[in-house]
């Protein structure tokens, strides 16, 4: 089975060719739009959609080239169908539909969150069900992954996502975009104990997340340190270390509760999404899993952040179950993995 996967839901234009036979990843190209968005300190949806349109054709041709195949070797075309910035999702979905129509191939619309959720199975043998900490720029959830298309949400964020907390925190500290890697780098030179920050939700019942208070606390600390001027490099590093420690502590605490809630139902703890690329978080999750008698698995960092291989892989998992989509599939700006989950209550709820 050979599938072309297309990802255009945010600021990465990505195309991959993935097989169910080794080596699974035949090509995995990710074109970052960082340069286009950097002047604005965040992703500008209209710029993102236009950039996808400019680059996607060429990227797909390159991915096929690298895989050494033509369109005729493909069994299906999969594209992110949501959730995400709708202009970009439309570009990817329309491209995938056009290829499917012309080449008479099945089209598969992938929930971007399912792409992250199943990404761990691309390179590791992880059996269902497993407990998943899904941490990205737009989402922060704990889920039991029962199977393809079958998710039970244990918790979600009531305001910002974990990646958003890194990105907004980085902006407050004058660090680069995207914030996660910039905070992680700066934190290496910093002392997390120097400016302690609150650890949101720690000690509370349940598995929900909240990060907006942390952002406010960081802004106040940073303003206090800068005293009307700019932060010294050491203060910036200390604050970055403290931010990373606070976010990790909160994620850990919520995940520990989820492990208890999931009970003996799962044998593996999985982390996925861009924030799962963070080394401190990964190390702490390893310890948590060990204490709980669970295995811990996360995709390698390059497969945690957005990519086409995870979309192609989710396509393979779906095609194997005969799950394809009609060509009138409508892109979805919102697309919960567990539609039956009780709505989270809070300001700016995203899930
Ligand atoms: O999964 P992803 O690439 O895109 C979304 O689906 O949102 O996640 C992007 C997020 C950004 O907020 C970015 O700052 C964060 O993941 N991120 C990290 C790291 N690498 C990316 N956060 C912490 N540490 C990292 N090393
Ligand atoms: Zn993502």
């Amino acid at each position: 089975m050979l599938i072309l996967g297309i990802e255009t839901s945010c600021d990465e234009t990505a195309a991959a060719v993935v097989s169910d036979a080794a080596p699974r990843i035949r090509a995995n190209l990710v074109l970052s739009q960082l340069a286009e968005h950097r002047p604005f300190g965040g992703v500008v949806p209209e710029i993102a959609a236009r950039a996808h349109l400019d680059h996607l054709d060429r990227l797909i041709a390159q991915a096929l080239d690298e895989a050494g195949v033509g369109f005729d070797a493909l069994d299906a075309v999969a594209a992110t169908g949501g959730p995400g910035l709708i202009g970009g999702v439309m570009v990817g979905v329309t491209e995938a539909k056009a290829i499917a129509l012309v080449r008479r191939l099945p089209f598969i619309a992938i929930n971007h969150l399912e792409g992250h959720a199943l990404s761990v199975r691309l390179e590791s043998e992880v059996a269902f069900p497993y407990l998943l900490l899904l941490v990205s720029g737009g989402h922060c959830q704990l889920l039991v992954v029962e199977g393809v298309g079958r998710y039970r949400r244990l918790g979600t964020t009531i305001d910002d996502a974990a990646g958003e907390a890194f990105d907004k925190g980085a902006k407050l500290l004058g660090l680069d975009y995207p914030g996660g890697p910039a905070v992680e780098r700066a934190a290496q030179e910093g002392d997390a104990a120097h400016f302690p920050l609150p650890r949101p939700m720690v000690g509370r019942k349940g598995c929900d997340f909240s990060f907006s208070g942390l952002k406010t606390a960081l802004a106040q600390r940073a303003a206090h340190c800068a005293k009307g001027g700019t932060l010294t490099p050491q203060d910036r590093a200390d604050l970055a270390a403290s931010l990373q420690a606070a976010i990790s502590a909160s994620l850990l605490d919520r995940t520990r509760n989820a492990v208890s809630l999931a009970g003996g139902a799962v044998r593996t703890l999985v982390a996925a999404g861009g924030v799962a690329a963070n080394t401190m978080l990964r190390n702490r999750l390893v310890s948590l899993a060990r204490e709980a008698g669970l295995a811990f698995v996360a995709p390698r960092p390059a497969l945690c952040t957005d990519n086409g291989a995870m979309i192609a892989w989710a396509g393979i998992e779906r095609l194997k179950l005969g799950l394809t989509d009609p060509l009138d599939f409508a892109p979805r700006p919102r697309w919960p993995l567990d539609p039956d989950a009780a709505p989270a209550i809070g300001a700016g709820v995203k899930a």
Side-chain angles (χ1 to χ4, degrees):
M1 217 179 249
L2 200 65
I3 291 201
L4 171 67
I6 297 171
E7 159 57 40
T8 56
S9 68
C10 195
D11 59 341
E12 263 105 19
T13 315
V17 178
V18 172
S19 164
D20 61 342
R24 286 185 171 165
I25 300 180
R26 304 291 165 90
N28 187 24
L29 304 178
V30 181
L31 193 75
S32 162
Q33 302 175 0
L34 272 185
E36 281 98 326
H37 299 288
R38 186 169 277 132
F40 305 94
V43 181
V44 183
E46 188 57 28
I47 293 178
R50 284 166 193 267
H52 291 309
L53 202 54
D54 285 345
H55 300 301
L56 189 56
D57 275 347
R58 184 175 47 81
L59 210 65
I60 291 172
Q62 267 178 16
L64 290 169
D65 237 29
E66 207 170 282
V69 296
F71 285 112
D72 50 346
L74 298 174
D75 292 291
V77 189
T80 297
L85 302 175
I86 199 63
V89 175
M90 283 166 67
V91 171
V93 163
T94 307
E95 178 97 18
K97 285 178 178 176
I99 296 168
L101 186 66
V102 172
R103 297 284 165 170
R104 295 180 197 283
L105 292 170
F107 161 71
I108 309 169
I110 302 295
N111 182 326
H112 180 84
L113 302 175
E114 178 160 80
H116 281 303
L118 301 178
S119 60
V120 70
R121 286 163 53 87
L122 173 51
E123 292 190 321
S124 309
E125 298 303 317
V126 179
F128 300 121
Y130 50 87
L131 179 62
L132 170 70
L133 173 66
L134 173 45
V135 272
S136 69
H139 294 84
C140 188
Q141 305 187 350
L142 278 154
L143 301 139
V144 177
V145 181
E146 290 168 345
V148 176
R150 289 169 40 222
Y151 301 90
R152 189 156 55 85
R153 199 182 77 194
L154 303 179
T156 187
T157 181
I158 58 172
D159 42 54
D160 292 345
E164 215 172 344
F166 272 108
D167 294 337
K168 290 178 176 172
K171 204 169 176 179
L172 281 169
L173 297 178
L175 292 167
D176 215 356
Y177 177 84
V183 168
E184 182 165 26
R185 262 193 316 277
Q188 284 170 359
E189 312 297 324
D191 173 8
H194 202 239
F195 298 118
L197 287 168
R199 297 174 169 211
M201 306 295 268
V202 168
R204 293 230 212 146
K205 276 208 309 213
C207 306
D208 284 340
F209 304 86
S210 167
F211 293 105
S212 67
L214 177 60
K215 189 177 56 193
T216 309
L218 177 70
Q220 285 168 351
R221 273 285 186 189
H224 183 74
C225 290
K227 297 184 191 75
T230 50
L231 287 169
T232 66
Q234 192 56 53
D235 282 351
R236 186 176 289 126
D238 289 344
L239 285 164
S242 192
L243 174 66
Q244 177 176 251
I247 295 172
S248 301
S250 185
L251 293 174
L252 258 283
D253 179 79
R254 313 282 79 202
T255 306
R256 195 171 289 116
N257 286 0
V259 169
S260 306
L261 261 180
V266 298
R267 290 218 293 261
T268 312
L269 171 64
V270 171
V275 179
N278 186 275
T279 306
M280 172 189 253
L281 177 64
R282 291 169 84 99
N283 290 341
R284 295 214 175 156
L285 289 169
V286 169
S287 308
L288 169 62
R290 195 181 300 128
E291 283 163 28
L294 301 177
F296 173 74
V297 194
R300 57 185 153 97
L303 292 177
C304 285
T305 46
D306 286 352
N307 63 85
M310 72 181 195
I311 301 304
W313 176 253
I316 286 184
E317 297 248 31
R318 292 202 147 246
L319 191 61
K320 281 190 171 162
L321 298 172
L323 301 170
T324 63
D325 293 277
L327 289 180
D328 64 357
F329 168 86
R332 299 181 59 169
R334 291 192 177 208
W335 191 352
L337 278 179
D338 177 2
D340 298 330
I345 298 168
V349 165
K350 302 226 164 55

